Amino acid sequence: MTLLDKLRSIDKPPKPAPQPVCSGTDCYIRTELRESDEFPHIDCLTYDALMLMQSQPIPQPLDQSRILYLDTETTGLGTGAGTVAFEVGTGRLMKDGFHITQYVLRDYPEEPYLLSHIEEELKHSDMICTFNGRTFDIPLLRTRFLMNRMNPGCLDLPHVDLLPLARRIWKLRLKSCTLQHLETDILHVPRHGDLPGSEAPQRFFSYLKTGEFALLDDVLIHNAQDVASMCSLLSHMALLYHQPELHEAPEDLFSMASALEKEKHIREAQSVYRLVPSGRLHASSQLRLAATHRRAGEKSTAVKVYERMLSLHEGGVVPYIELAKYYEHTAKDPGKALELTRAALLLLAEPALGDDTAVQQTRFELQYRYDRLLRKRSGKVRD
């Protein structure tokens, strides 16, 4: 090639990248493999850990390779007939790493092929894991199956939705529990240059107008990270349920204990309540701890918790009231009950506690108890 030929070749514009063309026989499929090292706590993801998080039955024994992580990119925020999932990303943890597969519509006629792939993926799965999928992704896919005259029964698998599970633990401290916030504040892996999910629909519409498939590149990168982050988040949550002492903040410990109590895992909840350190949530955790022992009929243990709270001057009047009830009705010691009721009345009389309706009602009940105990001690009232 002569120098002139080389100069002419420089002036020529580069050839455009080949564009995926609607084939009429399938949708576009992109695959990606991520190293297992990206998911350091995956061994903590066990059946027992999942059952502590949520009460819905899941298959046992748990096979991690049959958990399908799923996330959609859609043409809108609704789940009605007018909204289409133009891309569905799935992830599956295998022995050689985390396999991500993304199914993309190059045009609307390819939707049945996309849905068929999702159906096939679900046939090889025992459980679905999503982030807000219970209220968005799964209802939307169910609608799309029906609109295409396909059976949506493949979606009827046990489902772990990470959003409500994350809110139970971190909302008290973080307020916002979006997946991106959790990546930054909990997993400590912030995203940089990420396309906001809200911009994905416009990217798809622009692609349909121009035919430039590269407009969807950022959407696919965003979606792949969402899918991978779900696996990281679920395994990290499993680690914390195995080892709650690893929580970074008292708010998270208190919230986890409350979640465990709500799911009727009382012994585990009690253990976590005991881990809450001194501070603004310590009194609340001790009151919850004592209440769980009291409801379980373990009155002597509850008494020890209330007495320890009195020694620390925390919990307001509640420990006095509960101990007064115990000494009156269980220990049959009206004198001790009277002493505790008097102390509660004195504490409640402090102006700093205010004088709203609840305080007035509590003061009225304490005064009634105090008068009754006086009569009981004098022998005018029988047990």
Side-chain angles (χ1 to χ4, degrees), residues 132-336:
N132 197 33
R134 196 178 298 279
T135 58
F136 184 73
D137 301 82
I138 299 305
L140 172 64
L141 288 175
R142 192 177 300 277
T143 299
R144 299 318 306 170
F145 270 94
L146 292 172
M147 291 294 294
N148 284 272
R149 298 183 179 182
M150 298 172 67
N151 185 357
C154 59
L155 297 166
D156 297 331
L157 291 177
H159 183 180
V160 173
D161 189 336
L162 291 172
L163 178 58
L165 300 184
R167 282 174 172 168
R168 287 183 182 183
I169 301 176
W170 292 299
K171 186 177 181 180
L172 181 62
R173 176 166 65 94
L174 301 181
K175 311 307 179 190
S176 174
C177 287
T178 65
L179 186 55
Q180 287 71 30
H181 278 135
L182 294 172
E183 287 172 343
T184 301
D185 298 323
I186 303 302
L187 301 178
H188 304 299
V189 185
R191 299 193 196 188
H192 300 286
D194 181 60
L195 177 78
S198 59
E199 296 183 17
Q202 188 55 49
R203 287 294 186 97
F204 179 66
F205 295 137
S206 296
Y207 153 68
L208 290 179
K209 291 179 181 178
T210 65
E212 291 293 330
F213 194 81
L215 289 168
L216 298 182
D217 288 348
D218 290 341
V219 177
L220 297 179
I221 292 172
H222 168 87
N223 176 263
Q225 187 56 52
D226 280 353
V227 173
S229 291
M230 285 191 286
C231 184
S232 297
L233 183 62
L234 182 60
S235 58
H236 183 76
M237 292 175 69
L239 169 69
L240 294 177
Y241 273 92
H242 277 297
Q243 298 177 266
E245 65 275 9
L246 297 178
H247 272 294
E248 299 176 356
E251 296 92 338
D252 302 346
L253 278 170
F254 179 77
S255 297
M256 175 177 279
S258 300
L260 286 166
E261 183 182 353
K262 182 178 180 180
E263 294 292 343
K264 309 301 182 185
H265 301 297
I266 304 303
R267 293 304 179 195
E268 291 82 359
Q270 291 170 343
S271 297
V272 180
Y273 278 133
R274 292 189 180 95
L275 291 174
V276 178
S278 58
R280 67 183 184 89
L281 287 173
H282 187 260
S284 297
S285 66
Q286 295 303 293
L287 288 174
R288 293 277 192 92
L289 174 63
T292 60
H293 284 296
R294 191 184 69 246
R295 287 193 293 268
E298 300 163 348
K299 295 183 179 180
S300 60
T301 305
V303 166
K304 291 178 181 178
V305 177
Y306 289 129
E307 289 177 339
R308 186 167 60 249
M309 293 185 73
L310 291 188
S311 68
L312 296 173
H313 304 288
E314 65 179 15
V317 298
V318 176
Y320 291 97
I321 294 173
E322 295 300 332
L323 286 171
K325 292 177 181 177
Y326 170 80
Y327 281 106
E328 179 183 2
H329 302 296
T330 303
K332 306 299 181 182
D333 187 346
K336 181 67 173 178

Side-chain angles (χ1 to χ4, degrees), residues 5-114:
D5 292 333
K6 292 181 179 180
L7 291 173
R8 287 173 177 171
S9 66
I10 293 175
D11 292 334
K12 291 181 180 180
K15 293 183 179 180
Q19 302 293 320
V21 178
C22 183
S23 66
T25 59
D26 206 348
C27 62
Y28 177 74
I29 302 175
R30 175 184 179 272
T31 60
E32 178 182 341
L33 177 63
R34 299 204 176 189
E35 298 293 331
S36 300
D37 294 345
E38 190 175 328
F39 311 92
H41 307 307
I42 201 67
D43 289 341
C44 297
L45 186 53
T46 63
Y47 173 85
D48 291 338
L50 283 174
M51 292 308 296
L52 287 175
M53 295 181 201
Q54 49 88 49
S55 56
Q56 184 184 25
I58 59 175
Q60 187 180 19
L62 179 68
D63 183 348
Q64 290 188 15
S65 68
R66 293 183 66 84
I67 300 175
L68 186 68
Y69 299 87
L70 184 147
D71 184 58
T72 64
E73 302 298 335
T74 66
T75 58
L77 298 178
T79 57
T83 304
V84 174
F86 68 85
E87 189 270 341
V88 180
T90 64
R92 197 183 296 275
L93 190 69
M94 308 296 286
K95 291 182 179 180
D96 60 339
F98 189 72
H99 290 251
I100 298 174
T101 307
Q102 296 171 295
Y103 305 98
V104 190
L105 297 184
R106 289 165 293 197
D107 207 343
Y108 291 111
E110 292 186 346
E111 186 177 26
Y113 305 113
L114 181 150

